[in-house]
Amino acid sequence: AVLWAVIWAFIGANSPAEHVYISEHERNKIETSIVHMSRDNSKMKIPWIEIITSVPMWSVLLCHFCENWGFYTVLMLMPTYLSSAFEINIQNNGLLSSIPYIIMWGFNIIMGRLADYILKRELLHLTTARKMWTTIGMWGGALGFLGLTMTSSTTFSIVLLSLIMSLNTAVQYGYFTNHLDLGPNFASVLSGVTNTVSNSASFISPLVAGHILKDEVNLK
């Protein structure tokens, strides 16, 4: 964390226009891609009332919270699930638990390319694309969780967990990017609000799961 902070202090900037090491081409590409963003938003007053009363903002917040709930459930409980349900030892457990995240990394790159392609080609309206990616990420994960309740196979469970985590990356091109659509000048504020609230799922979801799963010997 200290190393990251030092590096950030030297290469970070408040905006592309103030960045020392960015190329002119990259600076122009970033600034022109956000067409509704003011070049001087540092003096803008944050519209808290409008943010709090915005229905789309509440929709993004709800999506963010629900997605975090599923993500942290897998993150916290997957090793316990594999160990208790399939009696997998610690060494193999670590290896198997890493597979969904490795596959998720690959899917993230593929989906990012696909999302950009769809928008650049104008194959879908921006709002439709955001809803589509959010639906894929959240409903796909929900179906994966449902599938876990119907299998006793270690291999199929890993496949489903990989599917859950891989499809989860789709939300990054759905609601997660929607902060920029709703308020380009205040995207950092909107993201901070939804992140702060939704990250409460990181400690609530394991507690709820632990309360439900009384019998850790038989999680099948």
Side-chain angles (χ1 to χ4, degrees):
V2 175
L3 178 60
W4 177 89
V6 172
I7 295 175
W8 179 260
F10 281 98
I11 68 173
N14 292 324
S15 67
E18 299 176 24
H19 204 287
V20 178
Y21 303 106
I22 194 173
S23 67
E24 189 68 25
H25 173 73
E26 186 177 2
R27 179 185 293 111
N28 291 334
K29 184 175 182 180
I30 295 173
E31 291 181 339
T32 55
S33 65
I34 309 177
V35 294
H36 299 296
M37 185 173 182
S38 172
R39 289 181 177 272
D40 184 17
N41 59 3
S42 59
K43 298 180 181 179
M44 290 184 175
K45 185 178 180 180
I46 300 175
W48 288 112
I49 300 299
E50 288 78 4
I51 291 175
I52 295 173
T53 57
S54 171
V55 174
M57 176 61 181
W58 279 99
S59 298
V60 171
L61 177 58
L62 180 61
C63 288
H64 202 160
F65 181 84
C66 292
E67 185 271 331
N68 271 17
W69 186 287
F71 179 84
Y72 283 109
T73 296
V74 175
L75 181 67
M76 300 290 188
L77 298 179
M78 179 163 51
T80 302
Y81 167 70
L82 294 176
S83 175
S84 301
F86 303 107
E87 299 180 353
I88 298 174
N89 60 47
I90 294 177
Q91 182 176 0
N92 291 332
N93 195 326
L95 177 62
L96 291 175
S97 296
S98 68
I99 292 176
Y101 296 98
I102 295 173
I103 297 177
M104 179 182 71
W105 170 76
F107 260 77
N108 200 3
I109 297 174
I110 295 172
M111 286 193 176
R113 294 281 187 177
L114 182 58
D116 283 343
Y117 178 83
I118 290 174
L119 291 180
K120 287 180 179 179
R121 296 280 182 170
E122 298 183 350
L123 301 179
L124 291 174
H125 188 273
L126 179 62
T127 302
T128 304
R130 297 287 188 244
K131 291 179 179 179
M132 180 191 73
W133 290 118
T134 301
T135 301
I136 291 174
M138 301 189 73
W139 281 96
L143 292 175
F145 279 121
L146 182 62
L148 285 175
T149 67
M150 303 177 183
T151 181
S152 58
S153 166
T154 304
T155 301
F156 195 55
S157 294
I158 295 298
V159 170
L160 286 174
L161 287 168
S162 299
L163 182 66
I164 291 170
M165 300 306 289
S166 298
L167 292 179
N168 179 73
T169 62
V171 301
Q172 297 185 43
Y173 318 106
Y175 80 82
F176 202 78
T177 318
N178 205 212
H179 300 90
L180 281 168
D181 305 326
L182 296 178
N185 292 302
F186 304 102
S188 59
V189 176
L190 301 182
S191 181
V193 170
T194 61
N195 256 314
T196 299
V197 176
S198 63
N199 277 332
S200 62
S202 65
F203 61 85
I204 296 176
S205 60
L207 291 175
V208 173
H211 180 73
I212 295 173
L213 299 174
K214 297 294 186 180
D215 182 10
E216 293 189 359
V217 179
N218 184 16
L219 297 182
K220 296 181 182 180

